[in-house]
Amino acid sequence: MERYDLLYRLYDEFDVETLREYQSFVDLFPPVDSRVALDHWEEVSDELDRLKRQIRESFPAGSTFAEIAAHADRETAFTALDLFARYDRAVNALVLDVDETLRSAGQTDNEIPRETLHILTEIHESGVPIVICTGQTLENVKGFMIQGLGNELVHSGNLSIVYEAGNGVFTPSHGSETKRLLYQDLGADVRSIFERVRTRALSAAPDNVRRGCHLQGNEFNVTLKPNFETGSADAEAVIDDGLVHLIDALGAAVAERVADEVDEPVDGAAANADRDAQPVRAERGAAWARAHYAAADPEIRDVLEAAGIEPAAGEPSRSPDIPAPVASLFDEIDVAYYRGDAAEIGSLELDKVAGVDAAFDVLDVADPFALVMGDSKSDLRVMEWAAANDAGIAAAPEHASADVLSHVLDHDELVFDRGQSAKMLRTAYVMNLFARLE
């Protein structure tokens, strides 16, 4: 209780709000060529030092309490202390989704806020490794991380990028371990199916999907993105149609791959008469895929039903109408749907959990206790993994998917407002300051 008493004293007896405002001004002051502005910065910096000195001289371990006051408001500081009291561990890694987590199209103009970038830099400088965990391509995410955090930090050896939702891991400055292509370890059947779907993702798409979507430049996953503003009515409509197309293309590719095992004579034609059998295979494969993925994901079922498609009921891969070889491949391939944002196929073997595990291996995080931040179903898998293995805590924005919010609220209730990711990062930073008191 002594730490709680000291924290109450800190926020009741000292002008912490002014101190924090001065700290923010000093940290985020933009580079300007103005003598007047620089003089003002120096005045604020001197006053900040005075306020911190008061705290340092009034508390045991006063330097730590001065840093707590400079980085956290009252709510954040007590949340951090509660978490440290519950887990008795410092956060030794960050696992961070980007889109609609670190940045938000609606609140931050799709830029990572300067406040978030600054606290990330401070956490990194304290020795905590950062794992950026995203569905984006490597080149895209590497570019904006260098732009935001700087080339030196990104190539420090203590930052890793899990890209394409776990298909690859990029950890600069680690020699032969710098880039690990996890998808290369998948079976030949699965890899060939992805190649077949990729070639048809746009070329064989309906006109509105071909005009309204583009194929994200992935190394492995097949992802359709809208040519409209994310979340708009036009984006929602074309992604819904794109999802149906991708499911059908996947079903056709799987049916072709296992044709020798599942084909039956059609209209009197021999099963090996490929020219005659191929359209029938595609149609049957599409029906199997619709039934499987509708049973696996209620959101996908809703999209299919809205399109006038009534998938067969039942559990995924257990419908008697789906041949075993087809069901076996479906069990290795994921279909992901993000309303108004993307339709995607990926490997169920290679999700963000696999990518994070590989990143921790390269970064030598042997006993992780991570802050996991994200908003989607792919992030939920990492959160569930962390909870099941006592490997961290989870935080999500208030607009995250229902399943993500349910998980976060059931555990530590770390929900933050849209565009306010810095608040959760500050919570982790202050947790580690309390650990330093030990």
Side-chain angles (χ1 to χ4, degrees):
M1 290 302 297
E2 181 183 358
R3 286 176 300 195
Y4 281 94
D5 292 339
L6 291 172
L7 202 58
Y8 278 117
R9 182 184 167 208
L10 174 66
Y11 284 91
D12 289 343
E13 298 182 11
F14 293 85
D15 189 1
V16 173
E17 184 175 350
T18 298
L19 186 155
R20 196 170 61 256
E21 289 176 357
Y22 286 169
Q23 184 72 65
S24 179
F25 178 84
V26 169
D27 290 342
L28 304 180
F29 187 77
V32 294
D33 187 14
S34 166
R35 184 68 259 170
V36 173
L38 290 173
D39 286 345
H40 181 55
W41 184 90
E42 290 175 356
E43 291 173 4
V44 172
S45 183
D46 290 343
E47 184 63 13
L48 174 65
D49 288 342
R50 184 187 69 80
L51 293 172
K52 284 185 173 181
R53 186 166 59 253
Q54 288 180 347
I55 295 173
R56 286 196 298 269
E57 293 172 353
S58 303
F59 285 83
S63 295
T64 298
F65 278 93
E67 287 303 300
I68 291 171
H71 286 85
D73 59 20
R74 186 186 190 99
E75 179 187 5
T76 301
F78 276 95
T79 298
L81 182 53
D82 288 343
L83 289 168
F84 183 72
R86 181 179 305 163
Y87 294 105
D88 196 27
R89 292 195 65 181
V91 170
N92 62 6
L94 301 178
V95 179
L96 309 172
D97 177 47
V98 176
D99 291 321
E100 296 305 321
T101 300
L102 292 184
R103 64 183 185 181
S104 170
Q107 292 290 321
T108 67
D109 294 326
N110 235 13
E111 297 290 337
I112 300 176
R114 290 180 61 213
E115 180 187 5
T116 298
L117 293 170
H118 182 78
I119 189 63
L120 276 175
T121 300
E122 288 195 286
I123 293 173
H124 177 269
E125 289 174 350
S126 72
V128 176
I130 299 171
V131 178
I132 302 298
C133 196
T134 175
Q136 295 195 43
T137 65
L138 173 59
E139 292 308 312
N140 190 24
V141 69
K142 183 172 69 171
F144 66 69
M145 293 314 299
I146 290 175
Q147 183 179 20
L149 294 174
N151 191 66
E152 183 177 351
L153 190 155
V154 171
H155 289 84
S156 66
N158 216 23
L159 179 141
S160 186
I161 297 171
V162 175
Y163 61 96
E164 292 185 35
N167 285 285
V169 179
F170 178 70
T171 315
S173 304
H174 280 266
S176 62
E177 294 288 284
T178 290
K179 190 171 184 181
R180 298 179 65 174
L181 305 179
L182 304 184
Y183 60 84
Q184 289 187 341
D185 295 330
L186 297 173
D189 280 350
V190 172
R191 285 184 281 116
S192 70
I193 287 166
F194 274 75
E195 287 302 316
R196 289 170 187 247
V197 174
R198 181 175 289 106
T199 61
R200 301 169 184 174
L202 286 180
S203 64
D207 287 345
N208 67 316
V209 174
R210 191 165 57 249
R211 291 192 306 267
C213 288
H214 62 275
L215 194 60
Q216 186 169 279
N218 295 336
E219 292 179 17
F220 185 70
N221 282 354
V222 181
T223 308
L224 288 177
K225 300 285 285 185
N227 295 334
F228 305 101
E229 182 180 354
T230 299
S232 67
D234 286 336
E236 289 189 8
V238 79
I239 288 301
D240 284 4
D241 290 344
L243 174 69
V244 176
H245 166 63
L246 272 188
I247 289 173
D248 288 355
L250 172 59
V254 169
E256 287 180 19
R257 184 68 185 180
V258 298
D260 290 343
E261 299 174 71
V262 302
D263 263 345
E264 297 176 356
V266 178
D267 294 334
N272 63 357
D274 191 69
R275 184 186 63 185
D276 295 329
Q278 187 171 353
V280 178
R281 286 189 200 128
E283 185 177 340
R284 287 189 301 172
W288 293 331
R290 292 173 179 183
H292 175 89
Y293 291 103
D297 189 325
E299 284 190 294
I300 291 177
R301 169 174 284 278
D302 289 345
V303 172
L304 292 173
E305 290 180 346
I309 299 166
E310 298 271 348
E315 293 297 319
S317 299
R318 291 174 175 81
S319 169
D321 297 329
I322 302 179
V326 173
S328 178
L329 284 172
F330 285 160
D331 283 341
E332 296 184 58
I333 300 171
D334 189 28
V335 174
Y337 169 67
Y338 306 97
R339 184 178 300 278
D341 183 25
E344 178 177 71
I345 69 165
S347 166
L348 278 170
E349 184 177 337
L350 296 179
D351 57 9
K352 285 187 175 181
V353 174
V356 169
D357 188 54
F360 283 168
D361 182 51
V362 179
L363 293 168
D364 197 26
V365 182
D367 183 22
F369 189 76
L371 170 63
V372 181
M373 293 174 58
D375 70 305
S376 71
K377 288 175 285 189
S378 60
D379 304 307
L380 177 59
R381 292 169 184 164
V382 186
M383 296 174 180
E384 291 173 337
W385 169 84
N389 293 278
D390 296 321
I393 54 179
E398 46 85 22
H399 59 278
S401 71
D403 288 343
V404 171
L405 286 176
S406 177
H407 174 89
V408 170
L409 291 171
D410 284 346
H411 288 77
D412 297 302
E413 301 183 6
L414 299 179
V415 178
F416 57 94
D417 294 337
R418 186 187 294 267
Q420 299 298 314
S421 54
K423 186 177 182 68
M424 290 299 101
L425 296 171
R426 290 182 183 279
T427 301
Y429 185 85
V430 175
M431 279 183 68
N432 288 1
L433 291 176
F434 284 119
R436 195 165 75 185
L437 291 175
E438 296 293 298

